[in-house]
Amino acid sequence: MALPERGSINWLHVSTLIAVGILVGTEMVGASWAAGWALGGLLQFSPLVSRIVEGLFALCGVVLLYYFMRTAISNESIRN
C-alpha cells in the first residue's frame, strides 16, 4: 500500500504561525501572570500565596495558548 504524496511545506505559513505563537503567547501568559500578581496584591496575600496564585494564573495562560495554537494550526495549511 502506497502512502499518499504530501505537498511541500509552505514556510510562509510556518513563519506566520511561529510569529503568532510568540505574539499571542507573550500577551496571554504575561497578562494572566500580571492578573495573578494584581490579585495577590489586592487581596494582600502572603508572598508565598501570591507566588502560587501567579503561577496558577500563568499556567492558565499557557493552557489557553496551547488551545489557541492548536486551533491556529488546524486552520492554517502548512503544506501546499
Side-chain angles (χ1 to χ4, degrees):
M1 181 164 80
L3 294 173
E5 289 190 31
R6 299 177 123 185
S8 62
I9 294 177
N10 188 338
W11 290 106
L12 180 63
H13 290 184
V14 171
S15 65
T16 300
L17 287 170
I18 290 171
V20 164
I22 292 170
L23 177 67
V24 172
T26 303
E27 298 261 345
M28 203 172 292
V29 174
S32 59
W33 196 313
W37 170 80
L39 188 64
L42 182 67
L43 299 176
Q44 296 181 353
F45 291 147
S46 69
L48 177 62
V49 174
S50 184
R51 297 288 186 253
I52 291 171
V53 170
E54 288 174 28
L56 289 175
F57 273 62
L59 183 62
C60 289
V62 170
V63 169
L64 288 172
L65 175 62
Y66 168 76
Y67 284 112
F68 174 81
M69 287 305 296
R70 191 173 74 168
T71 303
I73 289 170
S74 70
N75 288 319
E76 185 77 23
S77 60
I78 293 177
R79 296 194 182 268
N80 291 330

